[in-house]
Amino acid sequence: MYALVDCNNFYASCERVFNPNLQNKPVAVLSNNDGCVIARSDEAKKLNLPMGAPIFKWENFCKHHKVTVLSSNYPLYGDMSTRVMTILEQFSPNVEVYSIDEAFIDLTGFDHHNFNDYGTSIRNRILKWTGIPTCVGIAPTKALCKVANKIARKFPKETGGVYVIDSEEKRLKALKWTAIKNVWGIGRRLEKRLIVKGCKTAFDFTQLSDDWVRLNFSITEWKLKKDLEGVPTIEFEIKQTKRSIATTRSFEQTYSDIENITERISTFAACCAEKLRAQKTSCHMIIVLLSSDRHKRDVAQHNASKTIVFPYPTDSTLSITKASVEAVKTMFKAGVKYKRAGIIVTGLVPTDNHQLNLFLHENPKHKPLMSAIDHLNKKFKTTTIKLANQDLQRTWKMKQERLSPKYTTKINDIITVK
């Protein structure tokens, strides 16, 4: 058996934990640079505020219906997610973090437990320790866990936020209730193809022959079908080292000067280097990206990328940043207003096991320096130590006019109880 634990309206719930005045009121959270709605509370959904709504078009609507609109507070959400996932590790040794707000739990060997009670215990502990409401779906396969979780979310009073598919009768009833568009892994294109075939529900999908699904779709869809039939086919994933790491961001405004652009590139490169060291890998190559605002057709456009290959693998912020800045200077064109940039580090190899170069090597002082910087930044939960060409006040320069305090990651924002 597996369990899927999903946090309800995660971003909005995080905001409500530290601002109880938002309870039972419509809340919407915006994307980077306060662009579009990316999260809504149940109250906001009932008002028919659409996901992805450009806020500049829906500003009056939100004011009229008294919707609280907030900027994305990623440090807060990331920290709260870590707390939730840490709690889940107390209920099973095998936890697969699927996204920032949901995770699968392997319940193999838990047959002597009452799964409904166990799911309730998970919900209660997360709610008590973090204030985040969750729903739990438990079933023999991961795909059925998704279905069970949707049922628990849809009918909170009847299920208590926990639903267990532990019989053939429950499985068939759940699949007949689930529309094909709501099945995990079924996108719009696949939905259209299945509807033509007469598949309106998940149950209809399972009635297709295995041979037809293998012939007309990929192995992924076949595995999904078997999972919905109750045959465990989608495997529990073990966390693997990433093959490449990317940090790309839109600026909070357009930049036409090289100074601001190199500062942004330095910050992105430092972020990538830190992630490399966190997974104990080094990179052979980096790709630097720079582009103008493609939505403004009336101004000069310029998109460019440059690849830099190192003579030896490196995880040093100094080496990666220096190469990135030199690359962006060669791509920069005066008079162009740039809106986005990024760094991709690839060609990753284990830091402690790679081919050495007889004539070229990293400065031996870099490793102890990077180790000391990582230690300090981890200890104080922030980017305390930065390079001199980075903005010392901010890591991500984004338009965040509605940002809430970083209650759990910034000492000055900790709530004071009077």
Side-chain angles (χ1 to χ4, degrees):
M1 296 289 279
Y2 299 97
L4 174 65
V5 182
D6 188 11
C7 300
N8 301 344
N9 306 322
F10 183 60
Y11 288 1
S13 295
C14 289
E15 299 288 354
R16 284 173 166 172
V17 169
F18 300 96
N19 188 356
N21 293 326
L22 299 177
Q23 294 290 347
N24 303 316
K25 294 180 180 179
V27 178
V29 179
L30 302 178
S31 61
N32 290 347
N33 298 309
D34 292 348
C36 304
V37 174
I38 59 170
R40 304 159 296 165
S41 65
D42 288 335
E43 295 80 6
K45 293 175 184 176
K46 289 179 181 178
L47 294 172
N48 293 321
L49 176 64
M51 181 70 88
I55 194 58
F56 75 93
K57 291 184 179 181
W58 291 79
E59 191 78 62
N60 292 333
F61 175 90
C62 292
K63 289 180 179 178
H64 176 72
H65 292 282
K66 298 181 180 179
V67 179
T68 301
V69 182
L70 299 167
S71 301
S72 295
N73 192 339
Y74 294 121
L76 174 64
Y77 308 151
D79 184 66
M80 294 300 288
S81 174
T82 300
R83 296 182 186 209
V84 171
M85 302 309 167
T86 301
I87 293 172
L88 293 181
E89 292 173 356
Q90 300 174 2
F91 289 91
S92 172
N94 298 319
V95 177
E96 177 192 330
V97 179
Y98 184 66
S99 68
I100 191 172
D101 63 345
E102 58 184 327
F104 288 101
I105 300 178
D106 187 356
L107 297 179
T108 303
F110 287 67
D111 297 337
H112 61 286
H113 283 79
N114 181 308
F115 288 119
N116 194 79
D117 291 345
Y118 203 64
T120 302
S121 298
I122 294 173
R123 288 191 75 240
N124 291 342
R125 186 174 298 181
I126 293 174
L127 183 62
K128 183 177 181 180
W129 290 12
T130 68
I132 301 293
T134 58
C135 284
V136 181
I138 301 176
T141 69
K142 292 173 71 175
L144 286 174
C145 277
K146 279 280 189 178
V147 174
N149 190 280
K150 286 185 180 293
I151 294 174
R153 183 77 172 90
K154 183 69 175 180
F155 307 102
K157 292 182 180 179
E158 293 82 355
T159 64
V162 179
Y163 190 73
V164 183
I165 298 178
D166 53 2
S167 67
E168 184 66 5
E169 181 184 359
K170 283 186 175 181
R171 184 185 73 84
L172 294 176
K173 186 177 180 180
L175 293 183
K176 290 177 180 178
W177 172 82
T178 306
I180 191 67
K181 66 179 180 180
N182 293 328
V183 175
W184 181 39
I186 300 293
R188 291 183 180 179
R189 291 184 180 179
L190 185 55
E191 176 196 353
K192 291 179 181 178
R193 294 177 64 187
L194 290 172
I195 288 178
V196 170
K197 190 65 179 177
C199 295
K200 297 181 179 180
T201 66
F203 175 76
D204 296 333
F205 180 50
T206 61
Q207 298 308 295
L208 299 174
S209 69
D210 285 350
D211 292 338
W212 188 88
V213 173
R214 290 290 294 268
L215 181 63
N216 291 275
F217 300 110
S218 68
I219 187 67
T220 303
E221 283 73 35
W222 177 81
K223 286 184 176 181
L224 175 60
K225 176 180 178 293
K226 302 304 291 184
D227 240 49
L228 291 172
E229 292 174 355
V231 181
T233 311
I234 301 176
E235 299 176 356
F236 206 79
E237 295 183 6
I238 300 173
K239 187 176 181 181
Q240 297 180 341
T241 299
K242 294 181 180 179
R243 296 181 180 180
S244 63
I245 296 173
T247 299
T248 60
R249 295 285 190 280
S250 293
F251 309 142
E252 83 279 19
Q253 63 186 52
T254 55
Y255 290 133
S256 55
D257 61 295
I258 189 64
E259 289 77 16
N260 272 304
I261 293 174
T262 54
E263 189 280 324
R264 290 291 79 203
I265 285 291
S266 296
T267 297
F268 300 163
C271 181
C272 286
E274 186 178 333
K275 291 178 180 178
L276 280 175
R277 296 193 293 274
Q279 67 173 27
K280 295 180 172 57
T281 55
S282 298
C283 70
H284 272 291
M285 180 171 63
I286 64 172
I287 303 170
V288 183
L289 311 171
L290 184 64
S291 61
S292 55
D293 191 344
R294 59 187 175 87
H295 298 291
K296 294 182 178 179
R297 303 294 177 85
D298 56 334
V299 298
Q301 297 290 319
H302 179 230
N303 299 311
S305 65
K306 189 174 182 64
T307 301
I308 300 94
V309 179
F310 293 106
Y312 46 79
T314 179
D315 62 1
S316 169
T317 299
L318 299 176
S319 299
I320 295 173
T321 299
K322 181 180 179 181
S324 301
V325 169
E326 290 176 353
V328 83
K329 286 181 177 179
T330 64
M331 293 188 289
F332 175 79
K333 285 187 176 181
V336 176
K337 295 183 177 180
Y338 291 98
K339 182 62 178 176
R340 188 175 181 85
I343 303 288
I344 301 173
V345 294
T346 187
L348 307 190
V349 295
T351 299
D352 59 355
N353 183 20
H354 58 77
Q355 182 67 47
L356 299 177
N357 189 309
L358 184 62
F359 302 104
L360 298 171
H361 56 81
E362 186 98 85
N363 187 327
K365 295 181 179 180
H366 283 201
K367 285 200 180 299
L369 176 60
M370 294 302 110
S371 178
I373 290 175
D374 290 341
H375 173 73
L376 289 172
N377 287 341
K378 184 177 181 181
K379 180 178 180 180
F380 294 102
K381 300 288 183 181
T382 182
T383 48
T384 304
I385 308 297
K386 295 184 177 183
L387 300 185
N389 62 351
Q390 291 180 251
D391 189 323
L392 302 181
Q393 302 302 317
R394 297 171 67 186
T395 300
W396 308 124
K397 288 186 174 182
M398 293 186 291
K399 181 182 178 183
Q400 294 177 308
E401 297 174 348
R402 314 163 196 251
L403 187 64
S404 58
K406 300 179 178 65
Y407 298 104
T408 65
T409 59
K410 188 175 180 181
I411 191 70
N412 294 332
D413 288 348
I414 291 178
I415 290 177
T416 302
V417 180
K418 298 181 180 179

